[in-house]
């Protein structure tokens, strides 16, 4: 400091403003200003990450003394910098009960700032929000409770400081109870001093004791502290007297922006008055030349002393040293956007959003369960298109979606109300709510009336995507069966709110402000998660997304390049969190239709463990089936035969001496090898009602021939493991007999519908548009047509598409629900489908002392699989001996590992256009993909 000129010392107390959205000419003009006046710092306003960082680097390069770079980053860099993570507003943070991720948010902010070369964050806001009509603070405050505000501000500040950034708490002595905006006029805080001590300044006292490095002085009129009418930022009584001497803060004091109209003085004069009052730096200086000149004149006249200037300069230089500017290096711009948007930062954001969600009403409707008995509609009030909230809810169950714009007509409203009469649950999202109070937060009369009408007429769960204070304008929102306050409206918040509706995570948020008599501080019901799926990113479960994606993408593309399949789909879950779901390629090699998450696949033999097996498990649990009783007990046609005397357990483990399969369709050929017209018809009729493909029907009586053929099938020579479809043709009949319901109805009502797995269906051509169903083979020997929506397996086809061995179709997400239920020992979405004891029995290897590796119905790893090389392994080498799953002939696989909570679902149509394509097996893609998951754990 001794080598600095007087002008340089004064300039160190000034902070000028840059706008990286501006032109190169503006940048060059700022470089000239920096070179000439040598300001102490710059304040970054609007810009993009790369351009802003490049400008900062250039300004530092042209500054004789390194610059302190500041930003207003209350909810992250996104407050000023586009394309960066937006954390929740302070009002939402105020609702969070766990401080862990509030502190982590502070650390994340500091890391992001430092990557751009920024050292100071003008945050957190430490104002106590005691006036809902405040036009400038409002949602920017952590709430109305001084303790809550103090603690939340403290955690954010501590996180930043611990990670090497300087937090500056604002707006001292407290801007929370004002009715005007200091950007335009000088607001009045007309409370006695004891009230100011007790409420407004309390957080600043707390932060001072905590050791915060910076505090910002506000432009306020506070008569109890200075009755001269002087703005608080220019008042020596308030800055030196109250903040420095009484409260005891000895850190860096920086003013609010000096261009604000709350500071009513001539150019240059306000900066001088601010420094005289005790501030160390003045920011957003409109004319630094005049500001420096006014200070020099004041020094000459004795209004301010050189000692005061040097003390302030020393504080500024000390802050620069603390920030590492004495060993300054330019910010690295390589992969800057990717680093600023690191998924690890997103994990913090997700945790904060989930922790903030506040349930304000719940009449036993949250989380939404009992899906089989609900007909659900969703309405997004204030939207023009289907919202992310609604799209996310589609992952949980079948929902019909509607939107109602803010200015919809009375006719549109009337028509929608009539449609909603057909539903027993309406989930209403409310968006299009402004941040500030004017105009009832920008809500329209239609929005308010529509919600009121829906609540009067329907069972409604309301999800409010806006400022908590705006709830007061919705007259009967408290009468909704369920009410979730989400505080603001972003895509991520909408998606997580949808997950909360269905129970993906706990709700613990507490309202941080008073809305009205209906909603008070501390309100907030605790809702426990119900072990449904959560949808997130790999990092939330400790997996590197770049590594995982790289491995899966590489293998999926290997399959595409080598024509193992025209397209495929991969879903990976860990501990009930879906962390990866990606589609590759097309429906066919013509590449006319891309694979999407909604597409429905022929599961082939996955049907065994997804349809027939859960039904058998349930019947075993209900003691309607005894695994160790002879099979003929439940299937009398086998009575008196050797195989009929074998226990059910042997059939489920494929050691019942049955042949692997029988080509039943060949039984329907005539002497010339053509389809027998007495058995097959190309047109439906009273005699031919079993549809087996788009243009082929089967004689109604042929099913008995199939069952008789199985009964008479020659046994294999010895009791050993031979994989067989045949008993699974019979199990649906047994299930129907024991349950008293048609097989398909039983599995749908007992499992698929309660799981919300509406795409799990036989004969999907009856339920879904064909373009949503992935085609399988171009059958050129039996049905002579491309199979789409009809089962690929000939045996299942000849049973009308409904069999226990094959025939089931599903999208990837719905199949995952079934396997996650198994993984969670029979529990999913708030319902115990099967007892833990039963699941444990079915997923264990039944005959560990034999060469038979099978569980009951489920497949298991090869014996000593962990000793195999990847090319010889099944499934992954690293899969535990407790893992279980199954594969499907069409190119599908599902595998669950209870030892580490992983679930792998692979879907493809490798049999398109022909089953002769064995590239999926030759390339070992499914096993290699499965191993990739373990490699990333």
């Amino acid at each position: 400091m001794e080598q600095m000129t007087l002008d340089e010392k004064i300039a160190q107390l000034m902070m000028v403003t840059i706008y990286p959205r501006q032109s190169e000419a503006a940048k060059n003009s700022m470089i000239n200003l920096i070179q000439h006046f040598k300001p102490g710092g710059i304040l970054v306003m609007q810009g993009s990450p790369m351009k802003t960082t490049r400008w900062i680097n250039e300004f530092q390069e042209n500054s004789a003394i390194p610059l302190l770079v500041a930003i207003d980053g209350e909810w992250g860099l996104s407050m000023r910098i586009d394309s960066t993570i937006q954390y929740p507003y302070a009002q939402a943070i105020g609702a969070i009960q766990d401080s862990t991720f509030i502190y982590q948010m502070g650390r994340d902010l500091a890391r992001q700032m430092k990557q751009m070369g920024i050292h100071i964050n003008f945050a957190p806001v430490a104002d106590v929000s005691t006036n809902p009509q405040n036009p400038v603070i409002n949602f920017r405050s952590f709430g109305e409770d001084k303790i809550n505000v103090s603690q939340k501000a403290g955690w954010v500040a501590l996180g930043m400081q611990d990670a090497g950034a300087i937090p500056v708490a604002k707006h001292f002595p407290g801007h929370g109870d004002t009715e005007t905006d200091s950007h335009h006029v000088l607001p009045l805080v007309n409370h006695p001093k004891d009230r100011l001590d007790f409420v407004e300044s309390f957080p600043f006292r707390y932060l001072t004791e905590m050791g915060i490095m910076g505090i910002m002085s506000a432009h306020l009129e506070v008569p109890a502290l200075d009755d001269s009418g002087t703005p608080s930022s220019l008042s020596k009584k308030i800055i030196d007297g109250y903040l420095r001497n009484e409260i005891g803060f000895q850190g860096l004091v920086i003013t609010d922006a000096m261009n604000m109209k709350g500071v009513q003085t001539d150019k240059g004069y306000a900066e001088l008055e601010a420094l005289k009052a005790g501030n160390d730096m003045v920011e957003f200086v409109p004319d630094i030349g005049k500001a420096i000149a006014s200070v020099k004149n004041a020094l000459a006249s004795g209004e301010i002393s050189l000692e005061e200037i040097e003390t302030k300069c020393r504080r500024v230089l000390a802050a620069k040293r603390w920030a590492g500017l004495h060993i300054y290096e330019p910010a690295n711009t390589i992969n800057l956007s990717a680093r600023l948007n690191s998924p690890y930062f997103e994990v913090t954001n997700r945790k904060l959003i989930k922790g903030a969600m506040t349930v304000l009403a719940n009449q036993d409707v949250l989380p939404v369960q009992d899906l089989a008995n609900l007909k659900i509609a969703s309405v997004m009030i204030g939207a023009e298109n289907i919202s992310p909230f609604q799209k996310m809810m589609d992952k949980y169950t079948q929902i019909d979606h509607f939107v109602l714009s803010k200015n919809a007509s009375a006719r549109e409203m009337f028509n929608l109300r009539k449609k909603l009469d057909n539903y027993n649950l309406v989930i209403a999202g409310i968006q299009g709510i402004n941040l500030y109070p004017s105009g009832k937060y920008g809500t329209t009369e239609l929005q308010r009336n529509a919600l009121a009408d829906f609540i009067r007429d329907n069972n409604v769960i309301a999800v409010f995507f806006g400022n908590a204070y705006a709830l007061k304008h919705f007259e009967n929102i408290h009468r909704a069966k369920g009410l979730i306050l989400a505080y603001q409206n972003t895509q991520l918040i909408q998606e997580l709110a949808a997950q909360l509706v269905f129970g993906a995570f706990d709700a613990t948020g507490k309202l941080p402000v008073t809305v009205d008599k209906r909603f008070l501080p501390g309100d907030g019901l605790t809702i426990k998660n119900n072990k449904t799926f959560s949808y997130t990113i790999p990092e939330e479960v400790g997996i590197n997304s770049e590594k995982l994606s790289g491995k899966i993408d590489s293998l999926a593309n290997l399959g595409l390049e080598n024509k193992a399949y025209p397209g495929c789909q991969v879903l990976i879950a860990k501990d009930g969190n879906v962390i990866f779901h990606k589609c590759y390629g097309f429906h066919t090699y013509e590449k006319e239709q891309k694979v999407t998450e909604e597409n429905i696949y022929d599961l082939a033999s996955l049907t065994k463990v997804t349809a027939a097996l859960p039904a058998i498990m349930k019947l075993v649990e209900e003691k309607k089936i005894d695994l160790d009783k002879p099979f003929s007990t439940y299937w009398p046609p086998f009575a008196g035969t050797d195989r009929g005397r074998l226990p059910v357990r042997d059939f489920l483990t494929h050691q019942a001496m049955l042949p692997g399969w029988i080509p039943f369709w060949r039984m329907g050929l005539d002497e010339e090898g053509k389809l027998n017209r007495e058995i097959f018809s190309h047109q439906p009729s009273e005699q031919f009602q079993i549809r087996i493909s788009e243009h082929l029907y089967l004689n109604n009586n042929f099913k008995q021939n199939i069952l008789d053929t199985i009964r008479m099938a020659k046994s294999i020579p010895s009791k050993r493991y031979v994989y067989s479809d045949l008993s699974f043709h019979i199990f649906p009949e047994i299930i129907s007999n024991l349950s008293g319901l048609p097989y398909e109805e039983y599995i749908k009502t007992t499992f698929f519908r309660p799981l919300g797995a509406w795409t799990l269906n036989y004969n999907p051509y009856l339920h879904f548009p064909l373009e949503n169903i992935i085609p399988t083979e171009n059958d050129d020997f039996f049905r002579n047509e491309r199979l789409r929506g009809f089962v690929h397996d000939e045996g299942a086809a000849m049973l009308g598409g409904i069999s226990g061995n094959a025939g089931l179709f599903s999208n990837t997400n719905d199949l995952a629900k079934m396997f996650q239920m198994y993984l969670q020992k029979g529990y999913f979405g708030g319902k115990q489908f099967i007892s833990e004891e039963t699941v444990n029995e079915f997923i264990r290897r039944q005959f560990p002392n034999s060469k038979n590796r099978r569980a009951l119905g489920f497949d298991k790893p090869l014996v000593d699989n962990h000793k195999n090389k990847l090319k010889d392994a099944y499934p992954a080498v690293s899969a535990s001996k407790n893992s279980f799953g199954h594969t499907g002939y069409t190119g599908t696989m599902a595998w669950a590992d209870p030892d580490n909570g992983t679930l792998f679902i692979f879907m493809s149509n490798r049999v398109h256009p022909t089953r002769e394509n064995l590239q999926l097996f030759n390339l070992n893609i499914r096993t290699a993909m499965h191993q990739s998951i373990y490699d990333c754990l």
Side-chain angles (χ1 to χ4, degrees), residues 73-333:
E74 297 168 22
W75 49 87
L77 296 177
S78 61
M79 188 170 175
R80 294 289 183 255
I81 308 296
D82 63 36
S83 307
T84 55
I85 290 177
Q86 179 181 336
Y87 292 96
Y89 297 140
Q91 187 183 78
I93 300 292
I96 299 171
Q97 301 305 296
D98 183 352
S99 62
T100 306
F101 287 95
I102 302 174
Y103 170 80
Q104 187 60 45
M105 171 186 166
R107 291 188 66 89
D108 289 359
L109 291 176
R111 290 171 62 194
Q112 293 162 29
M113 290 162 57
K114 289 164 74 175
Q115 288 179 20
M116 291 186 65
I118 300 171
H119 317 102
I120 297 180
N121 190 355
F122 291 150
V125 172
D127 301 315
V128 181
S129 181
T130 54
N131 185 347
Q133 294 305 309
N134 193 312
V136 65
I137 302 302
N138 201 288
F139 70 95
R140 295 166 63 196
S141 165
F142 294 112
E144 68 178 59
D145 178 77
K146 64 179 182 179
I147 303 295
N148 189 39
V149 170
S150 301
Q151 291 174 339
K152 300 294 165 57
W155 284 116
V156 174
L158 185 62
M160 283 192 278
Q161 263 179 221
D162 285 353
I166 299 172
V168 177
K170 58 190 183 185
H171 307 81
F172 182 82
H175 206 324
D177 188 9
T178 61
E179 295 185 357
T180 54
D181 182 351
S182 51
H183 291 83
H184 307 296
V185 296
L186 183 65
L188 174 66
V189 179
N190 198 18
H191 291 300
K193 185 173 181 300
D194 58 354
R195 152 70 190 241
L196 297 173
D197 291 341
F198 189 72
V199 178
E200 275 72 15
S201 72
F202 182 90
F204 298 97
R205 294 173 185 269
Y206 178 95
L207 293 168
T208 296
E209 292 178 11
M210 189 201 78
I212 193 169
M213 292 185 67
I215 286 178
M216 176 183 285
S217 59
H219 308 316
L220 302 167
E221 182 180 357
V222 192
L225 300 179
D226 185 341
D227 60 5
S228 67
T230 303
S232 52
S233 55
L234 311 185
S235 168
K236 193 171 184 66
K237 290 181 179 180
I238 294 175
I239 306 303
D240 260 354
Y242 191 48
L243 178 59
R244 293 282 193 204
N245 297 330
E246 185 173 332
I247 292 176
F249 181 70
Q250 298 305 313
L252 198 64
V253 182
I254 305 177
T255 66
D256 207 343
M258 298 308 292
N259 69 331
M260 292 164 65
K261 293 182 180 177
V263 189
Q264 296 292 332
T265 62
D266 297 330
K267 276 187 179 180
Y269 182 69
E271 290 83 0
L272 168 63
E273 293 302 313
L275 294 174
K276 284 167 58 180
N279 294 281
D280 297 306
M281 291 192 85
V282 287
E283 55 115 333
F284 217 124
V285 175
D287 190 329
I288 189 171
K290 286 190 176 181
I292 292 171
S294 71
V295 175
K296 287 179 71 177
N297 290 335
L299 275 165
S301 67
E303 285 183 65
I304 191 169
S305 69
L306 180 60
E307 182 184 358
E308 290 176 272
I309 297 297
E310 289 185 341
T311 298
K312 299 174 191 300
C313 184
R314 197 171 286 112
R315 279 204 188 99
V316 172
L317 294 175
K320 291 185 177 186
R321 184 176 183 84
W322 186 92
L325 282 167
H326 61 299
I327 48 173
Y328 166 76
E329 290 184 5
N332 177 11
T333 58

Side-chain angles (χ1 to χ4, degrees), residues 309-591:
I309 297 297
E310 289 185 341
T311 298
K312 299 174 191 300
C313 184
R314 197 171 286 112
R315 279 204 188 99
V316 172
L317 294 175
K320 291 185 177 186
R321 184 176 183 84
W322 186 92
L325 282 167
H326 61 299
I327 48 173
Y328 166 76
E329 290 184 5
N332 177 11
T333 58
I334 297 173
N335 295 324
L336 178 63
S337 289
R339 287 186 284 116
L340 290 175
N341 290 282
S342 162
Y344 292 99
F345 297 146
E346 185 183 327
V347 169
T348 303
N349 198 21
R350 285 174 170 270
K351 296 285 189 182
L352 293 169
I353 292 168
K354 290 192 282 189
M357 296 278 177
T358 305
V359 176
L360 293 172
N362 184 24
Q363 297 180 35
D364 295 324
V365 294
L366 292 170
V368 173
Q369 299 172 162
D370 192 27
L371 300 178
N373 296 313
L374 291 175
K375 187 177 183 185
I376 306 174
S378 79
V379 184
M380 201 64 176
I381 302 171
E384 300 291 336
N385 303 297
I386 300 299
S387 64
F389 175 64
Q390 293 167 297
K391 291 177 182 177
M392 177 57 74
M393 288 196 293
D394 277 335
K395 293 182 182 293
Y396 290 93
T397 190
Q398 189 175 65
I399 302 177
D400 294 328
H401 300 302
F402 304 93
V403 296
L404 191 68
S405 70
K406 291 180 75 169
N407 296 298
S409 68
R411 170 59 60 182
E412 289 173 302
M413 178 60 190
F414 175 78
N415 290 339
L416 178 55
R417 286 181 66 183
K418 284 186 67 176
K419 290 176 182 176
L420 294 182
D421 288 341
N422 297 315
Y423 300 86
N424 58 7
L425 180 64
V426 175
I427 302 173
I430 305 97
Q431 68 174 46
I433 299 155
N434 293 348
L435 294 171
Y436 289 112
S438 62
K440 296 183 178 178
Y441 288 87
T443 60
T444 62
E445 186 176 359
L446 180 131
Q447 275 179 297
R448 299 189 296 273
N449 290 344
L451 182 63
D453 289 346
F454 296 156
I455 290 171
R456 273 192 295 270
D457 297 343
N458 307 92
N459 295 319
V460 171
I461 294 172
V463 184
F464 198 79
F465 296 104
N467 190 318
Y469 288 125
L471 286 167
K472 69 180 180 182
H473 298 298
F474 290 79
E475 64 181 48
N476 66 346
I477 195 169
H478 61 293
R479 299 192 186 281
K481 293 292 188 289
L483 172 59
I484 297 172
L485 173 61
Y487 293 97
Q488 57 198 95
N489 188 35
T490 67
Q491 178 175 334
L492 181 56
I493 288 171
Q494 285 203 14
E495 290 173 350
L496 289 173
Q499 295 188 41
L500 176 58
V501 167
F502 287 92
F505 55 88
D506 296 348
T508 58
K510 302 293 182 184
L511 189 64
V513 296
T514 297
V515 175
D516 52 26
K517 292 179 180 179
R518 301 172 300 168
F519 306 115
L520 301 172
D523 284 358
L525 303 170
T526 298
I527 303 294
K528 299 297 292 182
N529 79 79
N530 63 1
K531 287 197 169 185
T532 189
F533 270 136
S534 174
Y535 297 85
T536 185
I537 58 176
E539 281 74 9
E540 192 160 2
V541 296
I543 293 175
N544 183 293
S545 55
E546 187 176 0
K547 182 179 179 182
L548 181 64
S549 294
K551 287 176 177 290
I552 301 298
D553 289 353
S554 175
L555 289 164
N557 290 324
L558 177 69
L560 292 173
E561 291 160 9
N562 288 275
K563 295 193 172 181
Y565 39 70
C568 71
Q569 195 168 147
V570 181
L571 182 147
I572 299 166
K574 173 84 166 70
D575 300 329
N577 301 280
V578 176
I579 59 170
F580 188 97
H581 190 180
K582 198 167 181 179
C583 305
Y584 304 86
F586 296 83
H587 285 209
T588 66
Y589 289 109
E590 287 77 21
K591 298 184 177 181

Side-chain angles (χ1 to χ4, degrees), residues 619-665:
L619 293 169
V620 167
E621 183 176 300
E622 293 171 349
K623 302 192 183 309
K624 294 179 179 177
I625 292 179
D626 185 329
L627 294 168
D628 296 310
K629 280 191 174 181
F631 190 79
S632 60
T633 306
Y634 310 103
W635 189 241
F638 275 19
T641 66
D642 288 342
R643 68 169 57 103
R645 286 188 283 270
L646 293 174
V648 175
R649 193 181 299 273
D650 283 350
F651 286 82
L652 290 173
T653 52
H654 301 274
Q655 61 175 35
M657 303 170 67
L658 285 167
W661 71 294
I662 297 172
F664 300 111
W665 67 276

